[in-house]
Amino acid sequence: DDQSVRKHLKVFAGGLPSNTTEHSVGAHFTRYGHVQSVSVVPPKENEAKKSQYAFVTFKFAADADCAVVDTQHFPGASRQLAMGFAT
């Protein structure tokens, strides 16, 4: 159904470096296809040790699928990003 298609357009990327911008995340993921929007979420004040994460919305579900399946090495990140479909 239409709702599940929409859900498979938006992916979660966890483990981003603290200085990450929405532009740099978008630029990283455009290799998979057209990125419609990016939202970087900083950790809450009481979770200072946690890293930033982002939600990336693609135009096509196939592009989002490729981004989730591939191993993501983001510049400045100490390890590969944790990837998944947003729920």
Side-chain angles (χ1 to χ4, degrees):
D1 73 355
D2 194 37
Q3 182 68 13
S4 67
V5 169
R6 229 179 270 124
K7 284 184 180 178
H8 288 98
L9 297 175
K10 190 173 188 179
V11 301
F12 167 85
L16 294 167
S18 60
N19 61 344
T20 302
T21 64
E22 291 177 353
H23 176 76
S24 63
V25 173
H28 177 81
F29 285 103
T30 55
R31 71 182 81 181
Y32 297 100
H34 182 80
V35 172
Q36 290 188 308
S37 67
V38 176
S39 177
V40 173
V41 182
K44 295 178 178 133
E45 286 184 32
N46 61 346
E47 299 177 331
K49 291 184 179 179
K50 293 198 175 187
S51 57
Q52 292 192 114
Y53 60 91
F55 291 105
V56 181
T57 304
F58 288 89
K59 186 173 183 178
F60 299 108
D63 299 338
D65 188 53
C66 289
V68 169
V69 172
D70 273 4
T71 302
Q72 298 297 332
H73 297 286
F74 193 83
S78 57
R79 54 188 154 175
Q80 73 183 41
L81 299 183
M83 297 296 298
F85 288 103
T87 55

